[in-house]
Amino acid sequence: MASPRKKTDSSKTREEAMSVARATRRPGQSKEQTRLIAQGIQKGIEHYKKQQKAKARELDKHLKKVKRQVENPAAETETITKELTRYRQHWLPWLLLALSWAAFTAYLFASEV
């Protein structure tokens, strides 16, 4: 069932592109040039439709997520607290950095004396 719909969408897009190409036709322009312009316009229209479908899918996903949050706010709070603790830095690298700088400065002062 999807293929007949796609053919009708494609034919509608092709007709729209051809009408736009004919409307913007220049004097002395050949039919081949008009056909190529119509193909470019058709590709642009199809690309625009794909972008709009992707945006609609993203919006739908976001709306479903918000709806889940409204229905069950406790589950979302648990997820947020787990994510916050996941990004916490460990203290050991900072301690080693401070110790290395302290040892370096002690070496410098010891070599000057």
Side-chain angles (χ1 to χ4, degrees), residues 63-100:
L63 289 175
K64 285 181 182 179
K65 184 177 179 180
V66 169
K67 186 177 179 182
R68 272 189 256 127
Q69 288 176 354
V70 169
E71 290 174 356
N72 193 1
E76 187 63 30
T77 306
E78 292 173 9
T79 307
I80 291 173
T81 55
K82 288 179 183 177
E83 289 178 7
L84 290 176
T85 57
R86 191 179 307 158
Y87 295 112
R88 187 173 175 196
Q89 290 185 345
H90 201 270
W91 54 269
L92 182 62
W94 291 107
L95 176 67
L96 292 174
L97 179 67
L99 288 175
S100 67

Side-chain angles (χ1 to χ4, degrees), residues 41-59:
I41 293 170
Q42 181 182 354
K43 286 181 182 179
I45 291 171
E46 289 171 353
H47 181 70
Y48 175 78
K49 287 181 179 179
K50 285 180 184 178
Q51 284 179 335
Q52 293 304 312
K53 286 180 183 179
K55 286 181 184 178
R57 282 193 302 270
E58 289 297 320
L59 180 62

Side-chain angles (χ1 to χ4, degrees), residues 96-112:
L96 292 174
L97 179 67
L99 288 175
S100 67
W101 277 99
F104 178 69
T105 53
Y107 173 76
L108 283 178
F109 283 121
S111 65
E112 288 181 2

